Amino acid sequence: MGHWWYRNIVEPGKLPLLLALASFVLTFLVTRAVTRLIRAGKGPFRNITPGGVHIHHVVPGVVLMVLGGFIALAGGRRGFGTGAAAVLFGMGVGLVLDEFALILHLDDVYWTEEGTKSVEIVILTVALVALILGGFLPFGVNELSPDEETDRFTVVRTVAVNFLFAVIALTKGKGRIAVIGVFVPFVALFGAVRLARPNSPWARRFYRTRPKLRARARVRAYRHDRRWSALRRKVEDFIGGAPSR
């Protein structure tokens, strides 16, 4: 275990990233637990409202991100300072992304349907950071052999092709697949060859004069949403709390 830890975490310099991810996840979970208690009127926790102004936790989150970022820039890549900066930054990210929907809508939508976007972003961020910790690099560069890495044409071609797959998946309305596909090219390829979502830019451009294809896209999107939306919502409600109906 010690050898694995040193070879995969310490030696590549991934310990700060692991600390940031751990503090990010822990801060998000603690924050959601506290806000759910405040919502239920239980426990000693209350909203912070000095002078009648509700201070959202995105504010201390930004402060922690700024502190962590500048401490990391001022220090080296290793040592206690770097670890402390990673923890501060992770805590800040946890607080900020927990209110991502508020930033997006510029409105207090924390316990509404729109507020569930925060939970989606947190889950996606955790998945991406975990992929980086696992050794995945953007656009499939991690799949190149040492000899291929020295060939600039091979690197550029690999990045360009996988980037194209991710862009096509995105224009087909498959945002989650496109983002994950940046690190796992096969996922982006899967999204690129599948039918587009009916309201996506790809469908509006290429399915406009093909009514049968439009109908297939609508049916497939309906079946997919019916199969997976309820499960995704249950997971999000379990993690972040059910929104107000």
Side-chain angles (χ1 to χ4, degrees):
M1 179 64 184
H3 177 67
W4 178 91
W5 174 263
Y6 182 81
R7 183 183 62 187
N8 294 281
I9 301 297
V10 177
E11 189 177 26
K14 293 182 179 180
L15 183 58
L17 183 61
L18 178 61
L19 291 173
L21 176 62
S23 60
F24 162 48
V25 173
L26 182 61
T27 300
F28 170 75
L29 293 177
V30 170
T31 302
R32 279 286 164 168
V34 171
T35 54
R36 290 168 82 165
L37 288 172
I38 293 175
R39 185 190 190 191
K42 300 178 181 179
F45 305 105
R46 296 292 183 271
N47 289 322
I48 301 176
T49 55
V53 178
H54 182 187
I55 304 298
H56 293 273
H57 47 268
V58 68
V59 177
V62 171
V63 173
L64 289 173
M65 287 180 64
V66 171
L67 286 175
F70 278 112
I71 292 174
L73 291 172
R77 291 188 61 186
R78 302 178 187 273
F80 175 79
T82 302
V87 171
L88 289 175
F89 185 80
M91 293 171 61
V93 172
L95 292 171
V96 169
L97 291 190
D98 185 52
E99 293 203 308
F100 172 82
L102 180 148
I103 301 172
L104 179 65
H105 293 278
L106 293 179
D107 194 13
D108 190 358
V109 294
Y110 196 84
W111 292 118
T112 67
E113 291 289 335
E114 292 82 359
T116 59
K117 290 294 182 184
S118 297
V119 181
E120 291 185 31
I121 290 296
V122 167
I123 294 174
L124 188 59
T125 302
V126 171
L128 293 178
V129 177
L131 285 173
I132 296 174
L133 279 172
F136 288 87
L137 297 176
F139 306 122
V141 177
N142 53 288
E143 297 178 355
L144 299 176
S145 66
D147 291 336
E148 289 175 325
E149 289 179 353
T150 61
D151 186 346
R152 293 185 179 180
F153 175 74
T154 300
V155 174
V156 171
R157 182 187 61 192
T158 301
V159 170
V161 170
N162 292 329
F163 176 76
L164 179 62
F165 289 155
V167 170
I168 293 176
L170 183 63
T171 58
K172 285 191 170 184
K174 305 174 188 296
R176 300 180 189 89
I177 289 179
V179 173
I180 297 295
V182 169
F183 292 90
V184 187
F186 175 77
V187 175
L189 175 61
F190 179 79
V193 300
R194 298 278 287 177
L195 277 175
R197 300 280 298 184
N199 295 322
S200 66
W202 184 282
R204 290 196 297 269
R205 173 64 179 84
F206 295 104
Y207 298 172
R208 182 173 49 189
T209 59
R210 306 176 69 180
K212 290 184 178 180
L213 206 54
R214 286 203 313 271
R216 282 180 56 200
R218 283 194 294 267
V219 170
R220 180 164 294 182
Y222 170 76
R223 289 175 177 173
H224 177 275
D225 293 343
R226 186 179 62 179
R227 181 182 303 167
W228 297 108
S229 292
L231 177 61
R232 187 178 72 245
R233 175 52 60 85
K234 288 180 181 178
V235 172
E236 292 174 355
D237 290 351
F238 175 77
I239 295 174
S244 301
R245 303 298 181 185

